[in-house]
């Protein structure tokens, strides 16, 4: 792999190109923090897709796109004298040093859980009023639920055994069915949310990332359904004209691919 010197030279090259683009390119010159925001979110999802596909060449490319955005934001910040790339880099360096007293201080830890607890406690000492302040409001609900549970677990608010979480999930399922029987839509939605929250919590205890698990299932379903569509097209028969039994034949074939 590249030496540290080569890596630093590459980063310096990117900073220089960013300076040139900001000065000479009409599109780059026009961009603001706000106009880049949705593009950054899109790039983050593209990186997530590449990681799920384990496409390392694509991961490399998407990391480059995200790095460009970071440099872009820092360049804009420097133009208003609020911050520059050095401030950004030094800021995260200081945070990492302060949040890892077991590496850069005399604190002792025994495992990953100790590290996570120390991390959350240090954040509170830094002035945060809640361990949940670090959960972005705009996160998708499933990801947000997982982060909420992970963060409160970091300060000891957690179940002790997976079986306890499983029993809680069963309890929530029963409560959901009660509301389904009543056909109370508002109560059903509330209880269904509790079911999902409990399922996400159970996944966390089993060391399963629920977002990754669901996305893998999405991709699997899309692949199988598109196979079904292809087979139907080969028969010149629209899906709406096929019976479920006919479609199921191709679905079972798709599962074997």
């Amino acid at each position: 792999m590249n030496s540290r010197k080569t890596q630093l030279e590459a980063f310096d090259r990117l900073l220089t190109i960013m300076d040139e683009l900001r000065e000479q390119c009409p599109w780059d010159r026009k961009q603001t923090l706000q106009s880049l925001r949705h593009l950054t979110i899109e790039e983050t999802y593209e990186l997530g897709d590449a990681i799920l596909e384990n496409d390392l060449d694509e991961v490399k490319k998407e990391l480059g796109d995200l790095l460009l955005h970071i440099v872009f934001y820092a360049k804009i910040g420097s133009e208003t004298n609020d911050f520059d790339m050095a401030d950004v880099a030094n800021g995260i360096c200081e945070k990492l040093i302060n949040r890892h007293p077991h590496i850069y201080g005399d604190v002792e830890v025994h495992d990953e859980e100790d590290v996570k607890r120390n991390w959350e406690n240090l954040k509170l000492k830094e002035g945060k009023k809640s361990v949940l302040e670090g959960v972005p409001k705009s996160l998708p609900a499933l990801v947000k639920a997982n982060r909420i549970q992970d963060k409160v677990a970091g300060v000891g608010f957690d179940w002790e055994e997976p079986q306890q979480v499983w029993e809680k999930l069963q309890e929530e399922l029963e409560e959901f069915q009660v509301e389904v029987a009543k056909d109370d839509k508002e109560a059903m939605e509330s209880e269904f949310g509790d079911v999902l929250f409990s399922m996400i919590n159970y996944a966390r205890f089993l060391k399963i990332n629920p977002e990754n698990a669901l996305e893998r299932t999405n991709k699997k379903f899309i692949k199988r359904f598109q196979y079904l569509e292809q087979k139907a097209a080969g028969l010149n028969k629209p899906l709406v004209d096929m019976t479920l039994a006919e479609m199921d034949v191709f679905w079972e074939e798709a599962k074997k691919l």
Side-chain angles (χ1 to χ4, degrees), residues 33 69-79 83-86 88:
L33 298 178
H69 280 240
I70 293 169
V71 169
F72 212 147
Y73 288 124
K75 175 61 178 176
I76 294 173
S78 71
E79 293 167 354
F83 60 88
D84 62 15
M85 197 65 238
V88 173

Side-chain angles (χ1 to χ4, degrees), residues 187-200:
M188 285 165 58
E189 182 178 286
S190 176
E191 292 298 339
F192 187 67
D194 291 345
V195 169
L196 289 177
F197 197 82
S198 295
M199 289 185 68
I200 292 166

Side-chain angles (χ1 to χ4, degrees), residues 18 21-23 25-40 68-69 71-77 79-80:
M18 185 72 256
L21 293 179
R22 189 66 173 170
E23 180 180 346
C25 175
W27 186 89
D28 290 283
R29 192 165 55 238
K30 183 180 178 181
Q31 300 312 305
T32 65
L33 298 178
Q34 290 72 27
S35 69
L36 290 172
R37 177 181 176 276
H38 76 281
L39 297 175
T40 307
L68 169 62
H69 280 240
V71 169
F72 212 147
Y73 288 124
K75 175 61 178 176
I76 294 173
E79 293 167 354
T80 57

